[in-house]
Amino acid sequence: DVYKRQVLESGVFVKAMQEIAHDAKLDSKGPRLILDSFRSLKQAKPATRLVFLEDLVATAGGVVAMLAVIISHVTPFHQAEGIASILIGLMMFYVVGNVFLQNAAGALGEADETMAARLGGLIMKDPDVKDISKLEVIKEGDHFHVEVEIEVDPTLTIAQADDIKDRLELQIRLQQGIIDVTIGFDEDDKIQQYVVATDET
């Protein structure tokens, strides 16, 4: 039963890694999937992160427990099982603390620099946008709230500005998880403030 449960836990763990890759829009397979799932953990949904961390502890804990049993029976080091129990307890404590902190941050709202950089590059590609004077992306759970203030040519008409707003809002809302967009305008002061990240894709 222990071995069957370990196999099941490992299967769920692999499925969680695949979900993380999906949330991060990656097409990872094999050993690459393991590395990418750890690297992209912050981009996954809270529920996916929870399952991933739980099964990471379950899988690693099972391996540690089995090794401890073998060591305690083959060698005189009978304390191995006790040490293994402590290690598994510490891993569980880490998962609970990690999930609590992430949920607390999501409930209160936290700035998301990755999404902000992505949107900044997208907005600056618009031919009518001269600069970005303000860009805030707040993440609450799986959702993002975006507030941006762009600088445009002061000679534009209200109708032209409205067209720019509609165009940008549509492009921003196409990004996954964005539910609220506020766009403001300011006249171009001829001083470039926003710099697009060089690794922006």
Side-chain angles (χ1 to χ4, degrees):
D1 290 340
V2 175
Y3 295 105
K4 289 181 180 179
R5 182 173 180 177
Q6 186 68 16
V7 171
L8 290 174
E9 292 286 2
S10 300
V12 176
F13 185 46
V14 172
K15 179 62 178 177
M17 288 191 287
Q18 293 173 341
E19 286 297 318
I20 291 174
H22 179 267
D23 291 344
K25 298 182 179 180
L26 300 174
D27 187 22
S28 306
K29 296 180 180 179
R32 183 74 180 180
L33 177 63
I34 300 175
L35 294 174
D36 287 345
S37 62
F38 278 95
R39 291 172 179 171
S40 307
L41 185 58
K42 290 184 178 180
Q43 300 180 41
K45 298 177 182 178
T48 304
R49 288 199 300 266
L50 175 60
V51 172
F52 176 84
L53 291 172
E54 283 183 338
D55 284 290
L56 173 62
V57 170
T59 303
V63 173
V64 170
M66 286 189 291
L67 289 175
V69 171
I70 293 173
I71 292 173
S72 64
H73 282 74
V74 176
T75 70
F77 189 62
H78 301 297
Q79 298 90 338
E81 293 185 27
I83 294 174
S85 298
I86 294 174
L87 289 175
I88 294 172
L90 290 174
M91 287 190 291
M92 293 178 64
F93 181 78
Y94 169 78
V95 169
V96 172
N98 187 282
V99 172
F100 172 78
L101 290 175
Q102 289 178 355
N103 288 343
L108 296 174
E110 60 177 342
D112 191 294
E113 295 182 359
T114 301
M115 179 62 78
R118 183 188 306 172
L119 294 180
L122 179 69
I123 294 169
M124 288 299 294
K125 288 179 181 179
D126 190 286
D128 290 315
V129 175
K130 305 300 182 182
D131 197 5
I132 299 175
S133 55
K134 178 182 179 181
L135 175 57
E136 291 183 355
V137 179
I138 303 300
K139 184 176 183 181
E140 293 182 354
D142 295 335
H143 305 301
F144 297 94
H145 301 269
V146 180
E147 183 176 353
V148 58
E149 186 172 284
I150 59 175
E151 294 183 6
V152 297
D153 189 333
T155 62
L156 291 177
T157 65
I158 295 178
Q160 290 173 318
D162 192 54
D163 288 341
I164 297 172
K165 179 180 179 181
D166 292 341
R167 184 168 67 236
L168 289 176
E169 183 172 352
L170 176 61
Q171 293 178 347
I172 292 173
R173 285 185 178 275
L174 288 175
Q175 303 300 308
Q176 183 178 3
I178 294 178
I179 60 172
D180 182 39
V181 181
T182 302
I183 300 177
F185 291 89
D186 197 0
E187 64 178 273
D188 183 16
D189 58 7
K190 307 298 182 180
I191 301 175
Q192 191 68 32
Q193 300 180 46
Y194 190 86
V195 179
V196 179
T198 55
D199 60 346
E200 180 65 36
T201 56

